[in-house]
Amino acid sequence: MQLLSLDESYLKGKGAHLTAAEIAGQPDLWHAVEHLFFEHSESVHAFLSHAYKEADNIIFTGAGTSAFIGLSLEGAFFRNTKIQSRAIATTNIVSSPQDYFNASQTSLIISFARSGNSPESNAALKLADTFSKKCFHLIITCDENGSLAQYETTNPKYVFVLPETANDKSLAMTGSYSGMLLTGLMMAYINHPSIIKNQVQLLIKAAGHILSDALTTLQKTAVKDFRRAMFLGSGNLLGTATEAALKLQELTDGKIICKEDSYLGLRHGPKAVIDKQTLVVYFFSNNDYVKQYEHDLVGAMKSGNNALYELAVTEKNESGIEVGAQINFGNRQERIEEDFLPVCAIVPAQILAFYKSLDVGLSPDNPSVNGAISRVVQGVTIYSFETGITI
């Protein structure tokens, strides 16, 4: 049997089997997440309806990869609820809680975590409870036994635990990321069940196309001699670009230095990092208005320092651009809603990072040679905050 076009015996020998299985298993995971969501949709709807009546802001939080989920959700929630929505990492909240909470505001805090055992997870919620008028805690996690799922509060709380298969066993988050992101999107669209069902089916088909048709392109890209990578995305796909940059950097143990930016933002200085050792990955929107800016930037990349290679990830073929290769994951008959694109757009980046990890001689399941990074962050001391300070 093969996973990502590689024999299982080879993968096990390279310490790569878990990651390969978790990446390849995402379509099945999404189906299971959808089934679980609709099993609990009534109670989720009741909790959110209560929260929306009182909350004046929504905060999406988490650490590392879990923090990036909110970057792809804030727009969907803002448009569907008309409530100000922001993605703020727990790592920012813990060090500067006074910048995000005060006694005159009520927040709906949507927390994401694979294990929920990162030191900042509970600390951020405790600070929110301490300094806010009131909080509604919606916890989305992959581990029912994690400390986040067990968080105790006097404020309203709802815990949604994903299927066990979402709880990745390898170091890098793959299925856990896309599974929690999909859960968040279904909650944003909870009043539109038919849209959810249609979109999940399209996402599953799209991932199937990637896993069957894009592997050769991604393998050929991974073995190119790049030492830097720049990932670009607009709107909710900036969240995808951010996660893609971390994934490649994690799985290569920092051998590939990665950055992310928006198409417009790249022009304001960050373009200076691109050189003949740089891979550029474009995540294209399927919104025609947005794509005008994206196409302009791709054209402008021909001036100044040229990248080693450019790869486009897009729902359908993008005409009028010159890149090394395109990965098209959609079909001609139906369109994936813009809000749902990040769920499947991240899959090629996960596969690319996996192949590059093998190319540089690492074990994707545990690529950190000196233990600098781990599945659950260690060594963080949480200090008490002086509650007497006026904020």
Side-chain angles (χ1 to χ4, degrees):
M1 180 178 175
Q2 289 192 328
L3 292 168
L4 305 184
S5 79
L6 298 172
D7 291 336
E8 281 194 290
S9 58
Y10 170 84
L11 293 169
K12 290 176 180 177
K14 292 291 185 179
H17 184 263
L18 289 175
T19 308
E22 288 158 2
I23 292 173
Q26 287 174 108
D28 289 338
L29 171 62
W30 301 342
H31 179 74
V33 169
E34 177 199 19
H35 180 75
L36 185 66
F37 174 78
F38 281 109
E39 277 188 351
H40 297 277
S41 61
E42 287 188 14
S43 57
V44 172
H45 188 274
F47 178 84
L48 288 174
S49 295
H50 184 194
Y52 292 156
K53 289 177 182 177
E54 297 188 41
D56 45 47
N57 71 100
I58 301 173
I59 292 175
F60 307 94
T61 196
T65 286
S66 297
F68 305 151
I69 295 171
L71 296 173
S72 294
L73 290 176
E74 53 190 7
F77 270 82
F78 177 65
R79 280 181 275 99
N80 281 292
T81 67
K82 306 300 187 289
I83 300 172
Q84 189 64 48
S85 303
R86 299 176 293 166
I88 306 170
T90 56
T91 47
N92 291 339
I93 290 173
V94 168
S95 59
S96 304
Q98 70 275 25
D99 292 347
Y100 309 110
F101 308 115
N102 63 62
S104 66
Q105 289 189 308
T106 295
S107 299
L108 165 58
I109 302 176
I110 305 179
S111 298
F112 297 96
R114 175 169 59 176
S115 71
N117 292 323
S118 296
E120 302 93 343
S121 296
N122 277 14
L125 300 194
K126 288 178 182 178
L127 288 164
D129 282 340
T130 299
F131 293 121
S132 300
K133 176 183 177 182
K134 183 177 181 179
C135 291
F136 288 83
H137 294 291
L138 173 55
I139 295 169
I140 300 173
T141 181
C142 304
D143 189 347
E144 64 181 353
N145 298 312
S147 61
L148 185 62
Q150 304 301 318
Y151 177 67
E152 295 183 2
T153 177
T154 57
N155 278 312
K157 181 185 79 168
Y158 190 97
V159 179
F160 187 95
V161 180
L162 272 69
E164 175 60 29
T165 49
N167 193 5
D168 304 320
K169 300 301 184 288
S170 56
L171 183 144
M173 293 175 63
T174 54
S176 54
Y177 168 82
S178 67
M180 289 191 288
L181 173 57
L182 177 59
T183 301
L185 285 165
M186 291 191 292
M187 290 182 177
Y189 278 81
I190 196 165
N191 292 322
H192 306 282
S194 61
I195 293 177
I196 292 174
K197 292 175 181 178
N198 172 258
Q199 291 300 300
V200 172
Q201 289 305 307
L202 292 179
L203 292 172
I204 290 171
K205 290 178 183 177
H209 290 316
I210 295 165
L211 291 165
S212 62
D213 301 336
L215 297 183
T216 299
T217 297
L218 290 166
Q219 283 177 310
K220 289 179 178 179
T221 303
V223 298
K224 292 184 181 297
D225 189 24
F226 58 89
R227 292 292 176 263
R228 303 177 181 181
M230 174 66 78
F231 295 87
L232 299 176
S234 304
N236 59 355
L237 287 171
L238 178 57
T240 308
T242 306
E243 167 60 6
L246 177 63
K247 209 53 46 196
L248 179 56
Q249 194 160 275
E250 277 183 328
L251 285 177
T252 60
D253 200 22
K255 294 180 185 295
I256 309 300
I257 301 302
C258 303
K259 290 179 65 66
E260 77 286 335
D261 213 321
S262 66
Y263 286 79
L264 287 172
L266 186 74
R267 297 174 183 266
H268 294 266
K271 190 172 183 284
V273 307
I274 294 173
D275 61 15
K276 291 187 180 298
Q277 291 186 312
T278 307
L279 168 70
V280 179
V281 178
Y282 303 106
F283 293 102
F284 277 97
S285 173
N286 61 2
N287 180 315
D288 288 339
Y289 170 75
V290 176
K291 283 201 290 186
Q292 295 175 105
Y293 294 104
E294 296 176 342
H295 279 228
D296 282 354
L297 185 279
V298 176
M301 293 291 284
K302 305 309 176 188
S303 63
N305 293 334
N306 291 327
L308 172 70
Y309 196 71
E310 296 168 275
L311 176 68
V313 178
T314 175
E315 182 184 17
K316 298 175 183 177
N317 184 66
E318 293 293 326
S319 59
I321 61 168
E322 293 183 20
V323 295
Q326 292 194 34
I327 292 174
N328 311 129
F329 52 77
N331 63 67
R332 296 179 182 178
Q333 289 73 38
E334 296 181 278
R335 176 181 180 272
I336 297 173
E337 292 291 336
E338 184 181 9
D339 284 337
F340 286 82
L341 279 178
V343 178
C344 58
I346 192 59
V347 176
Q350 295 170 341
I351 299 169
L352 174 66
F354 172 82
Y355 285 147
K356 192 62 179 178
S357 183
L358 290 171
D359 180 61
V360 297
L362 296 173
S363 299
D365 292 348
N366 188 19
S368 184
V369 175
N370 63 5
I373 56 175
S374 56
R375 187 176 182 276
V376 179
V377 169
Q378 306 294 324
V380 177
T381 300
I382 301 298
Y383 299 97
S384 61
F385 193 93
E386 187 58 57
T387 55
I389 294 177
T390 301
I391 62 172

